[in-house]
Amino acid sequence: MRFISLLTDRSDLPGMLRDFDEELTQIENMHRYVVQASERDFEAACEKLSEGVDPETFDMGDIVSLAEEQVGIAPWDVASHSGLMAISRAASLAEVMLARMPAQYLIEPERWVFPRNGLWPRQWEATFYRTVLKTPYRTDSELFAAIRALRDLYAHGYGVPATEQRRTRIAEVLHRHVDAGPATDGETRLGYGGGVYFFGWDSSYSTMQRKVTSGWSMSRRADISPLATYRLLIATKEHVHAAYAALMGGFHDDLDEANCKFIKIVLADESRRRTSQPLSRT
């Protein structure tokens, strides 16, 4: 990540948030450029291949197939993969920010936020924001949990849920929280259009049947539209800004092991690790 580091950058929190916004903008710009460039190249290939073609013997499906062979990939596949890559980067960036922001206030961030040279577990993160702050915030909200789930699917399973129940659960949350309406004027000016989908262009979540329904394309792999990608990136940005605002409200006073669940789970983890370490030999 270009602007973000863990412990080396001890900048002020407003500056840290500006870095986050800049980084997320870079991710969105990358996704939009790749999608629109692939569409231009593909359309140009189709136009060139259609020159002088007899429409009675050569239909558009043949031209599209030849263009895909010539370009090397179809623009809809570029949109899906680049969208999932953008969401993966944004989700990871948000997780780093959710850790770095409170780390600025803590005397031992390596202990409370970056245990074992990595980010704190999700349970620690959620418990901190829910119990330590005077203004509690749910970093494990349904929508952000679904964004993380998309990232995990793409990173660890090539976008394929292990079960139909998992796919249905992710789709249900996404369709409930993400506006499925057409592109706004602002989104249109950025070049976005088309529909909002997460598991294929012909898929939707049926609230009556409580499952993902598809047309002729029955792929179970996560397949996300550019407009859906953009709206999830905006939702990720809003999630981090809301956590920042909650953090600005301050911590509860006189937190200790007796009255703070976050401190309890960190100390319990440290105790388990001490007791599980093998005895050293002299």
Side-chain angles (χ1 to χ4, degrees):
M1 290 173 282
R2 182 177 175 186
F3 299 100
I4 305 298
S5 61
L6 292 180
L7 293 173
T8 56
D9 179 6
R10 310 298 290 182
S11 60
D12 64 303
L13 277 172
M16 190 183 301
L17 197 65
R18 287 193 299 271
D19 287 347
F20 166 77
D21 289 345
E22 179 68 19
E23 189 76 34
L24 199 66
T25 297
Q26 293 287 334
I27 293 171
E28 192 272 318
N29 288 345
M30 175 275 296
H31 167 253
R32 180 155 39 91
Y33 174 81
V34 169
V35 168
Q36 294 176 358
S38 70
E39 289 174 346
R40 287 194 299 268
D41 289 349
F42 198 81
E43 289 171 4
C46 286
E47 289 179 6
K48 188 169 184 179
L49 288 167
S50 63
E51 293 175 359
V53 169
D54 184 353
E56 294 184 1
T57 60
F58 221 76
D59 63 24
M60 193 60 193
D62 297 322
I63 292 175
V64 168
S65 296
L66 286 173
E68 185 174 352
E69 181 179 336
Q70 184 179 101
V71 174
I73 189 170
W76 45 88
D77 287 328
V78 172
S80 178
H81 282 291
S82 65
L84 289 167
M85 283 190 284
I87 290 168
S88 297
R89 292 192 68 184
S92 297
L93 175 63
E95 288 172 340
V96 170
M97 282 297 295
L98 291 173
R100 290 181 73 241
M101 291 190 297
Q104 304 305 301
Y105 288 101
L106 301 174
I107 297 174
E108 298 178 275
E110 297 86 349
R111 179 186 185 189
W112 301 103
V113 182
F114 304 112
R116 298 182 286 282
N117 299 314
L119 293 181
W120 51 6
R122 293 182 189 179
Q123 180 197 12
W124 293 21
E125 172 203 285
T127 304
F128 176 89
Y129 279 91
R130 191 173 61 249
T131 64
V132 173
L133 303 183
K134 291 181 179 178
T135 306
Y137 184 70
R138 282 199 60 192
T139 59
D140 58 346
S141 67
E142 270 198 335
L143 179 54
F144 191 58
I147 291 172
R148 280 170 153 165
L150 274 182
R151 185 271 312 276
D152 294 344
L153 278 182
Y154 190 65
H156 304 299
Y158 201 59
V160 180
T163 64
E164 182 63 25
Q165 289 78 12
R166 179 162 169 74
R167 180 175 83 136
T168 296
R169 174 57 181 160
I170 295 171
E172 177 186 13
V173 173
L174 291 171
H175 281 287
R176 186 163 63 244
H177 290 281
V178 179
D179 179 13
T184 64
D185 291 342
E187 290 168 336
T188 300
R189 284 193 293 271
L190 290 173
Y192 291 106
V196 171
Y197 58 80
F198 305 98
F199 288 93
W201 63 269
D202 59 348
S203 70
S204 61
Y205 178 75
S206 171
T207 54
M208 293 184 63
Q209 300 180 45
R210 297 184 63 84
K211 69 176 185 179
V212 181
T213 59
S214 301
W216 65 272
S217 174
M218 298 300 292
S219 172
R220 294 172 59 249
R221 179 175 62 83
D223 180 10
I224 188 168
S225 69
L227 182 57
T229 298
Y230 177 74
R231 288 178 177 175
L232 287 183
L233 293 177
I234 296 302
T236 301
K237 179 179 179 178
E238 292 172 347
H239 184 66
V240 171
H241 277 250
Y244 172 86
L247 193 67
M248 291 298 94
F251 295 6
H252 287 296
D253 298 326
D254 302 322
L255 293 171
D256 57 33
E257 186 180 1
N259 62 19
C260 180
K261 188 175 180 180
F262 173 71
I263 295 176
K264 287 180 181 178
I265 63 173
V266 173
L267 296 182
D269 177 77
E270 292 176 343
S271 177
R272 282 192 300 270
R273 283 190 286 135
R274 281 195 302 269
T275 56
S276 64
Q277 289 177 352
L279 294 175
S280 57
R281 298 185 178 181
T282 57

